[in-house]
Amino acid sequence: MSAGSSDAGDLTAVRAVDLLIEARWVVPVEPHGVVLDAHAVVVDGGCIVAVLPIADARKQFSPRERVVLDEHALMPGLVNGHVHNPMTLMRGLADDLALMPWLQEHVWPAESRVVGPEFVRDGVELAIAEMIRGGTTCCNENYFFPDVQAATYRRFGFRARIGLPVIEFPTAWASSRDEYFEKALEVHDSLRGQPLLGTSFAPHAPYTVSNESFERIQLLSNQLDLPVHLHLHETASEITDSLRDFGMRPFARIKQLGLINERLIAVHMTQITEAEIADCAANGVSIVHNVESNMKLLSGFCPAEAIRRGGVNLAIGTDGCASNNDLDMFGEMRTAALVGKMIANDATALDAATILRAATLGSARAVGWNELIGSIEPGKQADLAAVRLDDIETQPIYNVISQLIYAAGRHQVSDVWIAGQQKLRDRQLTDIDTVEVVAKARRWRERIAAA
């Protein structure tokens, strides 16, 4: 990789720009399935100005910096559609358990002992470092202390949709329903105008949130035009319990409360029916597929191909590190593709280009930012990831997109930019002290293990 100015020549005929990235392949995602050979992405002011052949780019633009990626695929930064990033500090704490024992007997008790501003800050720092090294440039966050999360994401220049938590029992963040809503609105107001940050309402799940809270969320979501980020139809027992307690499935209850609309980000959906798929498609709901977490907790299988074919926007997420146990979107894409074929009983289901689209433009659409990110197009933010494909493990290359999904790994991500700012350069994080991040994680391990 090298940096410098553009070719010598008639500089009066060329446009000065911040950055010219020359790649062996550019995978723009839009148009679907396209791979551009020997193309350049031109960036200025944090935005993509042009995507064109390298020879033409050198004639038309004079960059302050040029980056040459002659063995790489340049793709949009991955968008992780559902995370609990402070929980990176609980990675491996309680493995090989079903969802409710894992949650009620291990995670919630541990959180009650240690969750606070410092835990959230240090967990998010660790997550940001991991995500950037894995080519992820944006996440859809769902955890407590959203104010601390936002400050941490902002400090490192990472793009995030911050969930404003609502749950019916007291936590370290809030002690009552009114306090959850008061704090949510305070955090939302404080983040107005932040270029890389946004908010959503994050009611935990139908089994932990009341009708009264859902009604309030629906009203505020409409007024503020905010997404609603909700765990929904995660397990079979969730359906059974809802039928017993409410006389209807959770989806029907949420629909009755006015939340089945284009702002709903429905996470998991392992128990969705054909009729519910049609309802989601008709109302613009996005569904976030978290295949590895669902497998590990034996929550069920989301019929992702049926959802996609039904016209629903499909996104990809990892879930939190306490249940996955990583933020590896490359691994998540590969698993989603393979498991999706088994569920659909169709080898052509969830092909490589479709999975890549779900993890980029699909997730961007879910969080409401598909006009900003998710594809490499002029006018969009320059959130980009470069993947080296000259390793033994990714040779020979017949189909670049297939190679990204079925053979490449996050360790091959070499360079990452968010809004045109380089966050990873030749595998090195540019503004994160990795020694300190690891030291903090080890201190939290000692504290949590002792507790």
Side-chain angles (χ1 to χ4, degrees):
M1 181 169 60
S2 62
S5 61
S6 69
D7 292 353
D10 183 8
L11 297 182
T12 60
V14 299
R15 173 179 169 182
V17 293
D18 293 332
L19 175 64
L20 183 64
I21 307 172
E22 301 177 356
R24 175 64 182 84
W25 301 280
V26 173
V27 184
V29 170
E30 185 61 51
H32 183 70
V34 166
V35 176
L36 304 172
D37 289 329
H39 267 58
V41 176
V42 185
V43 178
D44 196 49
C47 292
I48 298 167
V49 171
V51 182
L52 70 173
I54 291 172
D56 293 341
R58 290 180 176 179
K59 293 175 183 176
Q60 296 177 32
F61 297 96
S62 172
R64 296 174 184 86
E65 179 184 10
R66 176 187 290 126
V67 175
V68 178
L69 304 170
D70 51 11
E71 298 286 353
H72 306 64
L74 185 67
M75 55 183 270
L78 295 163
V79 181
N80 194 330
H82 175 65
V83 296
H84 308 285
N85 274 339
M87 297 180 83
T88 51
L89 296 175
M90 294 183 177
R91 192 195 317 263
L93 178 66
D95 285 338
D96 305 318
L97 295 167
L99 174 64
M100 296 319 293
W102 171 81
L103 196 59
Q104 295 173 345
E105 298 170 22
H106 298 273
V107 171
W108 283 347
E111 287 179 326
S112 70
R113 292 191 293 267
V114 300
V115 170
E118 294 81 10
F119 175 90
V120 170
R121 179 199 65 207
D122 293 348
V124 170
E125 283 187 16
L126 179 61
I128 290 171
E130 180 176 354
M131 288 189 293
I132 291 173
R133 281 162 54 95
T136 296
T137 55
C138 176
C139 69
N140 189 30
E141 180 66 88
N142 188 322
Y143 205 68
F144 303 108
F145 292 91
D147 55 340
V148 178
Q149 295 173 44
T152 308
Y153 285 117
R154 182 182 179 186
R155 180 157 55 94
F156 289 104
F158 194 92
R159 195 182 303 275
R161 176 74 77 175
I162 308 293
L164 307 171
V166 177
I167 199 165
E168 296 300 325
F169 53 79
T171 63
W173 170 243
S175 60
S176 68
R177 179 186 301 159
D178 285 344
E179 188 176 7
Y180 279 107
F181 281 99
E182 288 166 5
K183 286 190 166 184
L185 294 174
E186 288 174 4
V187 173
H188 171 71
D189 288 342
S190 73
L191 296 180
R192 290 181 187 274
Q194 290 296 320
L196 299 180
L197 303 178
T199 57
S200 67
F201 282 103
H204 174 256
Y207 56 87
T208 54
V209 178
S210 68
N211 283 358
E212 291 82 1
S213 291
F214 275 129
E215 288 169 349
R216 197 165 171 182
I217 288 168
Q218 192 269 340
L219 178 65
L220 289 168
S221 171
N222 286 345
Q223 289 177 345
L224 300 172
D225 192 24
L226 289 186
V228 176
H229 182 179
L230 174 69
H231 301 90
L232 185 62
H233 283 205
E234 186 171 1
T235 64
S237 61
E238 179 186 332
I239 310 301
T240 303
D241 292 347
S242 182
L243 289 169
R244 179 195 65 208
D245 297 338
F246 297 97
M248 65 184 80
R249 291 165 63 87
F251 186 92
R253 178 177 158 224
I254 297 305
K255 183 178 179 181
Q256 191 176 77
L257 295 168
L259 288 164
I260 302 300
N261 57 45
E262 70 281 358
R263 286 182 290 276
L264 181 62
I265 307 167
V267 182
H268 297 300
M269 285 298 213
T270 69
Q271 310 298 314
I272 194 169
T273 65
E274 288 184 10
E276 290 163 347
I277 290 173
D279 232 345
C280 287
N283 290 282
V285 173
S286 289
I287 293 177
V288 184
H289 186 28
N290 303 265
V291 60
E292 291 187 355
S293 174
N294 291 339
M295 291 170 64
K296 185 165 179 282
L297 295 172
L298 200 63
S299 297
F301 291 100
C302 172
E305 176 67 358
I307 286 167
R308 185 195 68 81
R309 286 180 180 172
V312 181
N313 178 53
L314 180 67
I316 302 286
T318 60
D319 210 341
C321 277
S323 66
N324 186 307
N325 295 15
D326 58 42
L327 300 172
D328 181 3
M329 286 287 285
F330 279 89
E332 200 75 27
M333 288 191 292
R334 185 171 189 265
T335 304
L338 298 178
V339 173
K341 297 175 191 303
M342 296 294 292
I343 295 169
N345 195 30
D346 181 356
T348 69
L350 296 178
D351 61 88
T354 295
I355 284 292
L356 181 61
R357 188 181 188 89
T360 52
L361 196 55
S363 290
R365 179 170 286 112
V367 302
W369 285 340
N370 53 299
E371 297 300 321
L372 288 176
I373 59 172
S375 59
I376 302 178
E377 299 180 77
K380 286 198 169 185
Q381 296 277 294
D383 288 14
L384 306 165
V387 184
R388 259 201 110 96
L389 294 179
D390 59 345
D391 286 353
I392 287 174
E393 293 81 359
T394 44
Q395 290 292 315
I397 299 171
Y398 298 105
N399 183 307
V400 170
I401 299 177
S402 289
Q403 211 77 335
L404 289 171
I405 302 304
Y406 296 120
R410 60 178 173 173
H411 64 282
Q412 289 169 267
V413 175
S414 63
D415 299 82
V416 170
W417 294 262
I418 299 176
Q421 298 298 309
Q422 193 156 13
K423 300 296 178 181
L424 188 72
R425 181 180 290 111
D426 199 18
R427 289 298 294 159
Q428 299 301 310
L429 293 162
T430 61
D431 55 7
I432 297 178
D433 184 341
T434 55
V435 173
E436 180 59 21
V437 166
V438 171
K440 288 179 181 178
R442 288 173 174 166
R443 288 196 291 269
W444 278 108
R445 186 207 64 80
E446 294 171 1
R447 179 175 171 182
I448 292 169

